[in-house]
Amino acid sequence: MKDIIKTPEILPDLFAKKKIENESFQKFIHLLPSKQIDFTLDVIIPEVEKEIDCTQCGNCCRQMQPGVMKDEIAVLASEKNMSVEDFMNDYMNQERGSMIYYMKARPCTFLENKMCSIYASRPSSCAQYPYIDEAQLKLYWRRVMESYKTCPIVFNTVELLKDELGFNSGKE
């Protein structure tokens, strides 16, 4: 297996350096059957996840603003011993013209020492992150690339996927 990048601080620079390569890779995977990509990811993802301990990273909690379902807001408010109204005023934003809520603080108010202080009660969007194991990667490529510059699991998975699928960026 390729050397695994475990330091999230270098991902934005790598993202910038690999921008054109990743645009070419996106075109490349659109020519392949989704089942082939998904099958390859099913092999790669567990290998990458074994190498990276999310509790030693916490970069997603420092960089992202997770979506929160309306019914999850009360749970989060209780974790802060606050009323729902006060919690929403202090910690939540709502997307204009929709019922989509998200945490407004970066880093997340529940992040303590690279770990989630409310892990068992965290929002479903946090529990499902980094979403790399969803079927049909090529349908949500933009979201993958957003996480590519934040999450070592996503970065390494995409880089290994390039190798496994035989992608040649033209550098060699």
Side-chain angles (χ1 to χ4, degrees), residues 20-77:
I20 293 170
E21 178 181 316
N22 286 331
E23 288 169 357
S24 295
F25 184 60
Q26 179 185 15
K27 292 174 185 167
F28 174 82
I29 62 171
H30 277 283
L31 300 173
L32 299 175
S34 288
K35 286 186 181 207
Q36 178 185 358
I37 297 165
D38 294 344
F39 176 78
T40 306
L41 286 171
D42 287 346
V43 174
I44 294 171
I45 292 169
E47 294 302 314
V48 173
E49 287 177 336
K50 281 194 293 193
E51 297 292 323
I52 297 171
D53 181 359
C54 290
T55 65
Q56 297 303 306
C57 179
N59 202 39
C60 55
C61 301
R62 285 191 302 279
Q63 301 295 322
M64 305 188 93
Q65 295 173 290
V68 179
M69 306 296 282
K70 183 125 174 105
D71 61 333
E72 295 172 326
I73 296 171
V75 173
L76 298 177

Side-chain angles (χ1 to χ4, degrees), residues 56-118:
Q56 297 303 306
C57 179
N59 202 39
C60 55
C61 301
R62 285 191 302 279
Q63 301 295 322
M64 305 188 93
Q65 295 173 290
V68 179
M69 306 296 282
K70 183 125 174 105
D71 61 333
E72 295 172 326
I73 296 171
V75 173
L76 298 177
S78 72
E79 292 286 350
K80 285 283 193 190
N81 295 318
M82 298 174 76
S83 71
V84 170
E85 183 180 343
D86 286 344
F87 183 83
M88 287 187 72
N89 287 333
D90 290 353
Y91 296 104
M92 302 295 302
N93 276 332
Q94 183 176 0
E95 187 178 87
R96 190 172 310 209
S98 78
M99 294 302 291
I100 297 173
Y101 297 92
Y102 58 95
M103 300 290 291
K104 63 182 173 184
R106 280 191 233 177
C108 178
T109 188
F110 296 108
L111 180 65
E112 293 177 9
N113 301 319
K114 298 184 183 180
M115 293 176 53
C116 179
S117 64
I118 59 160

